[in-house]
Amino acid sequence: MTDGAMVEVEALRKSYRVGGRLLPVLHGASLRIARGEFVAIMGASGSGKSTLLSILGLLESYEGGRYTLAGHDTRSLTEDRAAKLRNALLGFVFQSFHLLAHKTAWENVALPLAYAGVGRAERRARALRLLDRLGLAPRAEHRPDELSGGQRQRVAIARALANNPPVLLADEPTGNLDSRTSGEVMQLFREIHARGRTIVLVTHEPDVAAAADRVILVRDGRVVRGDATGGEMEAP
C-alpha cells in the first residue's frame, strides 16, 4: 500500500445479477484516501457511489480490481476475517440510523463493544462517556422513539465510534434531518475529523460535501473527479 494511504482502490469492478443477466455497477473505479483525510463521495442515483461505500465497508465483495484497507488486501477475505477487520477498523453511520428500538441510547452505543467481548460494566461506562462527549448524557436511558432525529443520529455516531475505529464510513448521514440539525451533525463530523479520524461520507448535498477536504465524483461506475492523488481526472 502506498505510504500514508488508509484506503486504496484500483480498477474496481462490481456487477449484480438481475433477471438472469449481469448488471455492471462499477467499471474500474480507482481512488486513494490518505490517513486522516475527510472525503465526500458524490454522484447521481445509480452512479455506483453507495455500492462503492459498501465495498469499502467490507459489506460486499467485488469481481475485479484491488481494495487495500490499512494495509490489508481484501480480495480473498473469509467472512470471519472480514467481520474482524470491520470491527477493528471501521465505524458505520447510516441515513436511517439503524438503532435497535428496544434498547436504550447507551445500549445501542455499546453494541459494537459487546461484539468485541467487552464486559457489560465497561461497555456501559464507555458508552456513557461517548454520549457525554456528544452532549447526550441526559438521554442515555431513552429509547430511539423518545429521541429527535438529530439525537438519534448522534447516538448512531457514538455507536460508530465505540470501538475507536480509525475509519468512519457515513452513507447520507444527514438525509433524514432538517437543515439546522444537518449543520449540527456535520459540525460533529468536523470535530471527529479534527481528532485524526479518516472519514468517507456519501452525500447528494453540496453543502454537506463542502465540509470535506476533498470531493470524489462517481459517474456511471467510475471515479471522474478526485482521483488517487487528490487531483482532477476524467474517465476515458
Side-chain angles (χ1 to χ4, degrees):
M1 185 173 68
T2 304
D3 183 43
M6 178 60 76
V7 166
E8 274 194 309
V9 170
E10 300 173 16
L12 207 64
R13 297 193 306 278
K14 171 69 177 180
S15 300
Y16 294 109
R17 186 166 293 280
V18 179
R21 66 187 183 90
L22 284 178
L23 177 66
V25 177
L26 295 177
H27 309 268
S30 299
L31 60 91
R32 177 182 180 275
I33 299 171
R35 294 177 186 272
E37 192 175 11
F38 186 173
V39 168
I41 299 177
M42 299 191 74
S45 178
S47 63
K49 63 184 186 300
S50 291
T51 296
L52 177 59
L53 193 73
S54 291
I55 291 173
L56 297 186
L58 305 178
L59 299 172
E60 293 196 43
S61 61
Y62 51 95
E63 289 97 49
R66 175 178 292 188
Y67 168 34
T68 307
L69 172 64
H72 300 275
D73 190 331
T74 69
R75 282 178 296 181
S76 302
L77 291 178
T78 63
E79 287 189 16
D80 182 62
R81 179 61 176 156
K84 288 179 179 177
L85 284 179
R86 275 196 302 272
N87 211 40
L89 298 175
L90 302 169
F92 296 88
V93 181
F94 302 97
Q95 177 178 348
S96 55
F97 318 129
H98 288 196
L99 301 177
L100 297 183
H102 64 285
K103 291 189 176 292
T104 64
W106 82 259
E107 288 171 331
N108 270 284
V109 173
L111 281 172
L113 300 173
Y115 299 145
V118 178
R120 180 178 172 83
E122 177 62 16
R123 293 201 305 268
R124 187 174 190 277
R126 286 166 64 173
L128 291 176
R129 283 197 296 270
L130 275 167
L131 289 172
D132 183 53
R133 199 169 97 195
L134 273 59
L136 284 176
R139 314 297 284 179
E141 298 291 345
H142 289 68
R143 289 183 170 79
D145 63 358
E146 300 173 307
L147 303 174
S148 69
Q151 289 170 337
R152 278 177 278 173
Q153 193 59 291
R154 283 175 178 265
V155 170
I157 292 169
R159 180 186 57 194
L161 297 173
N163 274 336
N164 196 30
V167 181
L168 197 61
L169 303 179
D171 191 1
E172 300 281 3
T174 62
N176 286 338
L177 305 176
D178 60 51
S179 57
R180 181 183 64 81
T181 307
S182 173
E184 293 172 356
V185 167
M186 290 313 300
Q187 177 59 35
L188 180 56
F189 274 108
R190 284 190 288 269
E191 292 168 5
I192 293 167
H193 170 242
R195 298 187 186 105
R197 207 170 310 264
T198 304
I199 298 177
V200 184
L201 183 151
V202 163
T203 183
H204 67 278
E205 301 174 71
D207 56 335
V208 170
D213 297 330
R214 178 162 57 101
V215 176
I216 291 173
L217 181 63
V218 178
R219 182 184 300 143
D220 298 328
R222 292 184 173 90
V223 173
V224 296
R225 192 181 75 221
D227 68 1
T229 62
E232 300 294 310
M233 70 177 184
E234 288 297 328

